Amino acid sequence: METIKVKLKDNPYNIYLEYNLTKRVPFFIEKLNLGNYGIILASQKVYSLYKKLLRGVFKKNYYFLPVIDGERAKSKKWLFKVINEIIKIDKWYRKIFLVCVGGGSITDLGGFVASIYKRGIPYVHIPTTLLCQIDASIGGKTAINLKEAKNILGTFHQPKAVFIDPIFLKTIAKKEIREGITEAIKYGIIKDKSFFYFLKRYHREIISLETSYILKLIFTCAKIKTNIVEEDEKEKKGVRTLLNFGHTFAHALESTYRYRKVSHGEAVAIGMVFAAYLSYFMGKCSFNKVEEIKEIMHLFSLPIRFSFDYLTLYKSINYDKKFISGKIRMVLLKEIGKVEVAEDIPPMVLRECLKKFSRMRPKF
């Protein structure tokens, strides 16, 4: 079993990585002394596929609360639905904690619930999608969406542990695996050039979920994310902002189309191509770097463009939490493995770049 220590001053915890780890989670929870009654917040799809496993593992003093799949879970409706269920279950003699089992929507919602219920209760993650295992479950960011913008209501509330079991990936569709790989590509672009080329070289083995390759991918990504979170837990130093590469555009695209026409992974893939093109447009990198990013997206059958109205998308970007005090802040590419945070991007430049990008043909 691989263990990554998240060394935070006030909220340190461990990330555990191992096949079939789920069966041992109650043992770890008991050692962590989280409480005496656990609520299993599980996505409906995961619960239906792994009901026997989960109920066999989490027996006495656990309550199962299935939640709708996808971004719809990150809504006011489901936030209060979950909280109302917890209130019904909670008793004076129970010390409640949450176990979030699912993808990023479940970990975001569960973490947010844990952060506001009784001003904060403990929780752990069992991420079941690749995207969640390498990104969303690590770092303590929690959030729900409003129709105006993605992740607009949120908190920082660290989990007490993250348990990564790659066994769940066996029932994930290839499309979802590819979308998870978008975040792995992001880590290579922002921090690790050699990892970027590892992904490029072994793309077939990774898509096939060959054990050694997928374990290396998950561990490398989790370690990079951990290092960044340790340095800038609450995104006050600008270091953690690097993780937003491609996400400003992606979140705007998702919210514009109400989280229906494009998935998060697809939006991030397109968003990274746009961020690279904006970087080239502003003279930060060569066009060859844009081409390299396009090429790796092609290798993993990820999209590089999407038809959109550039003015609508520009308006949506203005709602993004990374749009600070009227200033546009985005992460731009310098070279593979190195990016920078650009403050105060001129609105006219962003609009013109969005306009050009929206009109480019698929060959771009």
Side-chain angles (χ1 to χ4, degrees):
M1 181 173 67
E2 297 281 5
T3 302
I4 298 172
K5 294 184 181 296
V6 185
K7 300 172 185 175
L8 300 174
K9 182 180 178 182
D10 297 319
N11 306 290
Y13 59 95
N14 289 342
I15 300 167
Y16 302 98
L17 169 60
E18 186 180 57
Y19 273 90
N20 296 308
L21 177 60
T22 305
K23 295 176 181 178
R24 300 168 56 196
V25 170
F27 168 75
F28 286 98
I29 287 176
E30 188 175 347
K31 287 182 66 177
L32 288 167
N33 194 29
L34 301 184
N36 59 19
Y37 200 83
I39 296 175
I40 313 293
L41 208 64
S43 80
Q44 292 174 346
K45 183 177 180 180
V46 171
Y47 183 68
S48 65
L49 287 170
Y50 294 97
K51 183 177 180 179
K52 184 176 180 181
L53 168 66
L54 294 172
R55 286 201 171 272
V57 170
F58 300 102
K59 298 176 183 177
K60 189 178 179 182
N61 295 325
Y62 283 98
Y63 178 88
F64 284 85
L65 181 53
V67 175
I68 195 168
D69 295 300
E71 288 291 324
R72 288 179 296 172
K74 292 172 58 174
S75 62
K76 289 185 291 183
K77 176 184 175 180
W78 274 94
L79 171 66
F80 288 106
K81 189 170 184 176
V82 169
I83 288 175
N84 286 334
E85 285 296 315
I86 294 175
I87 290 171
K88 291 176 188 176
I89 297 164
D90 204 355
K91 307 292 181 184
W92 67 268
Y93 52 85
R94 284 178 176 164
K95 186 181 176 184
I96 298 286
F97 63 91
L98 300 185
V99 180
C100 305
V101 186
S105 296
I106 296 299
T107 57
D108 276 8
L109 172 66
F112 189 56
V113 169
S115 73
I116 62 175
Y117 187 72
K118 291 185 174 179
R119 298 189 178 91
I121 60 173
Y123 73 106
V124 299
H125 286 321
I126 304 177
T128 60
T129 66
L130 182 59
L131 192 151
C132 193
Q133 290 178 352
I134 66 176
D135 187 73
S137 66
I138 303 166
K141 273 190 177 181
T142 81
I144 64 167
N145 307 324
L146 297 182
K147 65 179 182 179
E148 291 82 6
K150 182 180 173 74
N151 295 337
I152 198 70
L153 297 180
T155 61
F156 286 96
H157 188 56
Q158 298 294 342
K160 296 300 180 182
V162 177
F163 303 97
I164 302 175
D165 187 346
I167 198 74
F168 289 107
L169 301 181
K170 293 183 177 181
T171 52
I172 298 293
K174 290 295 183 187
K175 180 176 181 291
E176 289 187 58
I177 295 295
R178 289 188 177 95
E179 290 176 14
I181 289 166
T182 59
E183 295 293 344
I185 293 170
K186 178 193 74 177
Y187 288 123
I189 292 171
I190 68 170
K191 277 289 182 181
D192 193 332
K193 184 177 180 178
S194 63
F195 180 59
F196 179 88
Y197 291 113
F198 163 80
L199 296 173
K200 201 171 179 180
R201 181 177 180 181
Y202 297 108
H203 64 278
R204 291 186 182 87
E205 290 83 354
I206 290 166
I207 285 294
S208 299
L209 299 179
E210 292 190 21
T211 300
S212 61
Y213 296 95
I214 207 69
L215 284 174
K216 178 175 178 177
L217 183 151
I218 295 170
F219 181 84
T220 303
C221 293
K223 185 63 178 172
I224 292 173
K225 176 90 180 258
T226 295
N227 292 341
I228 291 173
V229 170
E230 287 175 344
E231 193 173 348
D232 188 14
E233 180 184 358
K234 296 187 177 179
E235 210 167 307
K236 292 181 178 180
K237 300 177 183 178
V239 178
R240 189 163 179 168
T241 305
L242 300 182
L243 294 168
N244 294 327
F245 182 76
H247 284 60
T248 301
F249 179 95
H251 291 170
L253 192 62
E254 288 178 276
S255 61
T256 296
Y257 292 97
R258 300 289 187 265
Y259 313 103
R260 291 190 179 97
K261 290 189 177 181
V262 59
S263 70
H264 178 67
E266 291 170 334
V268 171
I270 300 163
M272 287 193 287
V273 175
F274 172 75
Y277 182 69
L278 177 62
S279 305
Y280 162 72
F281 192 77
M282 294 180 64
K284 301 290 184 179
C285 72
S286 70
F287 194 73
N288 286 340
K289 303 306 176 187
V290 182
E291 291 291 326
E292 281 199 75
I293 292 175
K294 284 171 52 187
E295 184 182 354
I296 198 168
M297 297 302 176
H298 280 305
L299 289 175
F300 285 104
S301 300
L302 291 164
I304 60 171
R305 73 179 303 277
F306 186 86
S307 180
F308 63 90
D309 178 76
Y310 77 94
L311 288 176
T312 302
L313 208 71
Y314 176 75
K315 183 179 177 181
S316 185
I317 286 174
N318 291 343
Y319 280 111
D320 194 276
K321 59 189 179 298
K322 294 175 279 298
F323 189 102
I324 307 296
S325 302
K327 297 180 179 180
I328 302 170
R329 180 179 67 172
M330 293 181 70
V331 183
L332 300 182
L333 177 69
K334 296 183 77 175
E335 57 185 76
I336 302 300
K338 189 174 183 180
V339 294
E340 67 177 18
V341 179
E343 305 280 355
D344 202 11
I345 296 172
M348 286 295 291
V349 171
L350 179 60
R351 280 201 300 270
E352 185 62 23
C353 191
L354 282 169
K355 182 179 179 179
K356 287 182 177 291
F357 189 71
S358 70
R359 296 176 178 179
M360 285 181 171
R361 296 181 182 275
K363 67 178 182 179
F364 162 70

